[in-house]
Amino acid sequence: MGRKYSKELLDKITEKQEVINYKGIDLLVKNIPEDSNAGDMDQRLYNDSKKQMKIMSFMPKKMMEFDSSKKSIEKLRKMFNEIKSRPIVNNKIIINNDKFKSFDGTYINLRIYKREDYKENSQILYYIHGGGFFGGSLDVVEELIKVIVDNTNIIAVSVDYRLAPENKYPTGHKDCFCGLEWVYNNCLKLGGNKDNIFVCGDSAGGNLAHYCSLKDRELNKGMVKGQLLLYPTLNMAKFEDDLFKWSIDEYEISPKYKKGIETMLYMFDNLSLGLSDILGVDADKDNHYLNPYSGDVKGLPKTFITVGEHDYLKVESLAYAVKLNREGIYTKTILYKGLGHAYGDNIGYYPQSEDCAIEIGKFILENSK
């Protein structure tokens, strides 16, 4: 099918990128490839969002408050499960299915990706999809994974963990860690290297990936070489300190897009407040699995964090990157200007999505043994 943008825009992103100092860390800023004003939305994202933003701008705030009813969950699932990508890979990607037995005896499905010419003893990317812990699917992130595999010739495994609210916390988290153990124990079968396993997840999947790193550290198993957190959920309790206090003032928004972006941020704020209801647990600051931001980061693996300029999770993502760096954890942090949440889902439509896949692959290859 191919890209809906010229490949030259990928080069433009690299040409225009810059490293800035953000609270003492090096922050790699990826600017919109075409010329734009400070605080602008990327035009591709704007074109995809303007109808929804216009409708929402006329809605009373009361109507945007989170409702955890079955009807509302199904409506949100339909939105989160929408496929927003298109194939762009050059090599043939072989996809196989497998399953593992989780902590309670339930079998959980896995999807395994390799290039047709894959090399033995490769790095393994263990991928956990997002979707607010209650939505998303393997299909939503498939093109992102295929691009990473195509670029790097590594092996990727995507896990189909159980979703809330039907499966309360910590079911999905435990599923993901059991899947990681399966990957580690089956490296030879997969053709991978057990010393080079990287966990990765987007949004809520970033929280689940981080849980895998935390449990790996607690149990001293040494399975995780590095973690990649894409616009991750890290501070559900909104724990505040010298680095984090959410405020609209943390966002640079040009006047043209102010109303639409602020409306979207308000919507995500409401959704974040309802995640505890969905999971069936109080996400207080002492639960460091749901709120890794408030926990101890010592001993965590090398980390990759990326987030969009207008993402509700930007403030906590960047604050966590600073926290990790302060503790001596090598962390590569990338901010995409003009984007909001979940741009990894837009492979083939947004050049930044492909650029992000390239950066993920580079991080894995550069930080392998």
Side-chain angles (χ1 to χ4, degrees):
M1 295 175 70
R3 301 170 181 82
K4 296 291 284 185
Y5 51 86
S6 68
K7 202 169 180 183
E8 287 73 22
L9 287 182
L10 285 173
D11 297 328
K12 276 285 186 185
I13 292 172
T14 302
E15 288 172 15
K16 294 181 66 177
Q17 70 185 28
E18 55 187 326
V19 177
I20 66 169
N21 183 288
Y22 177 84
K23 298 183 179 180
I25 70 168
D26 287 338
L27 176 62
L28 178 59
V29 177
K30 301 273 193 172
N31 293 299
I32 299 172
E34 302 91 343
D35 291 336
S36 62
N37 298 312
D40 277 359
M41 287 180 72
D42 181 275
Q43 195 62 37
R44 287 162 288 266
L45 174 61
Y46 176 70
N47 290 337
D48 288 343
S49 309
K50 61 184 178 182
K51 182 178 179 180
Q52 182 184 7
M53 289 192 297
K54 186 174 182 180
I55 293 170
M56 290 175 62
S57 68
F58 290 103
M59 290 172 60
K61 286 190 175 181
K62 185 74 176 174
M63 289 184 65
M64 286 190 284
E65 290 180 1
F66 178 75
D67 175 5
S68 59
S69 67
K70 183 177 180 180
K71 183 177 180 181
S72 293
I73 293 293
E74 289 305 317
K75 185 177 180 180
L76 284 169
R77 273 183 179 159
K78 185 177 180 181
M79 181 173 69
F80 285 4
N81 291 2
E82 182 182 355
I83 307 299
K84 300 177 181 178
S85 57
R86 57 191 284 125
I88 64 169
V89 299
N90 296 315
N91 293 289
K92 182 176 180 180
I93 307 296
I94 298 171
I95 304 174
N96 291 311
N97 297 298
D98 213 319
K99 61 182 63 177
F100 65 91
K101 188 181 289 188
S102 195
F103 67 98
D104 61 356
T106 302
Y107 281 95
I108 306 297
N109 292 323
L110 295 164
R111 197 174 288 176
I112 302 161
Y113 301 82
K114 301 178 183 179
R115 266 182 25 186
E116 191 174 32
D117 61 344
Y118 87 96
K119 299 175 183 178
E120 292 286 345
N121 206 38
S122 293
Q123 300 91 335
I124 297 179
L125 175 66
Y126 178 58
Y127 197 96
I128 305 171
H129 71 77
F133 302 105
F134 63 88
S137 72
L138 305 186
D139 295 330
V140 172
V141 296
E142 179 154 282
E143 294 307 322
L144 173 64
I145 294 171
K146 285 167 68 177
V147 172
I148 297 167
V149 171
D150 187 39
N151 288 339
T152 60
N153 204 8
I154 65 172
I155 298 165
V157 180
S158 188
V159 58
D160 193 17
Y161 61 92
R162 284 172 284 181
L163 302 176
E166 295 84 358
N167 302 281
K168 300 294 186 184
Y169 172 84
T171 301
H173 286 71
K174 287 187 173 182
D175 284 348
C176 290
F177 187 71
C178 289
L180 172 62
E181 290 182 309
W182 183 92
V183 169
Y184 184 79
N185 293 328
N186 287 272
C187 272
L188 188 60
K189 170 184 171 182
L190 293 169
N193 183 337
K194 70 176 182 178
D195 294 322
N196 283 318
I197 298 174
F198 293 77
V199 296
C200 179
D202 62 277
S203 194
N207 182 281
L208 293 159
H210 196 289
Y211 172 81
C212 289
S213 296
L214 285 175
K215 292 300 293 184
D216 184 55
R217 181 189 69 180
E218 287 177 13
L219 298 174
N220 198 29
K221 292 206 168 195
M223 297 184 292
V224 177
K225 181 66 176 175
Q227 61 175 354
L228 299 99
L229 313 177
L230 318 184
Y231 29 89
T233 302
L234 299 169
N235 194 6
M236 287 172 57
K238 295 181 171 61
F239 171 74
E240 295 182 357
D241 59 10
D242 65 312
L243 293 175
F244 175 83
K245 183 175 182 179
W246 196 93
S247 169
I248 195 69
D249 295 333
E250 295 287 334
Y251 295 84
E252 184 175 30
I253 307 172
S254 65
K256 177 180 177 181
Y257 303 101
K258 182 176 176 62
K259 189 173 184 179
I261 290 173
E262 289 186 351
T263 300
M264 296 295 283
L265 289 170
Y266 179 81
M267 182 193 75
F268 271 97
D269 184 40
N270 276 320
L271 178 58
S272 71
L273 291 171
L275 290 181
S276 291
D277 289 339
I278 293 172
L279 290 168
V281 64
D282 183 16
D284 64 76
K285 67 180 179 61
D286 294 323
N287 184 331
H288 301 316
Y289 300 136
L290 294 179
N291 298 284
Y293 183 81
S294 62
D296 179 13
V297 303
K298 290 183 178 66
L300 286 173
K302 292 180 178 180
T303 301
F304 173 101
I305 294 176
T306 182
V307 71
E309 177 185 24
H310 298 135
D311 191 338
Y312 176 78
L313 299 176
K314 180 192 77 170
V315 185
E316 65 194 67
S317 294
L318 295 184
Y320 195 58
V322 175
K323 184 175 182 179
L324 289 171
N325 273 277
R326 283 184 178 179
E327 291 294 335
I329 309 297
Y330 171 75
T331 305
K332 182 171 185 177
T333 312
I334 302 177
L335 177 74
Y336 282 92
K337 288 274 194 174
L339 295 186
H341 194 63
Y343 42 88
D345 298 349
N346 299 99
I347 289 291
Y349 290 99
Y350 300 174
Q352 296 95 328
S353 306
E354 185 176 357
D355 181 81
C356 184
I358 292 168
E359 290 287 357
I360 290 169
K362 284 167 58 178
F363 179 86
I364 293 170
L365 296 180
E366 290 170 0
N367 292 285
S368 304
K369 288 185 178 179

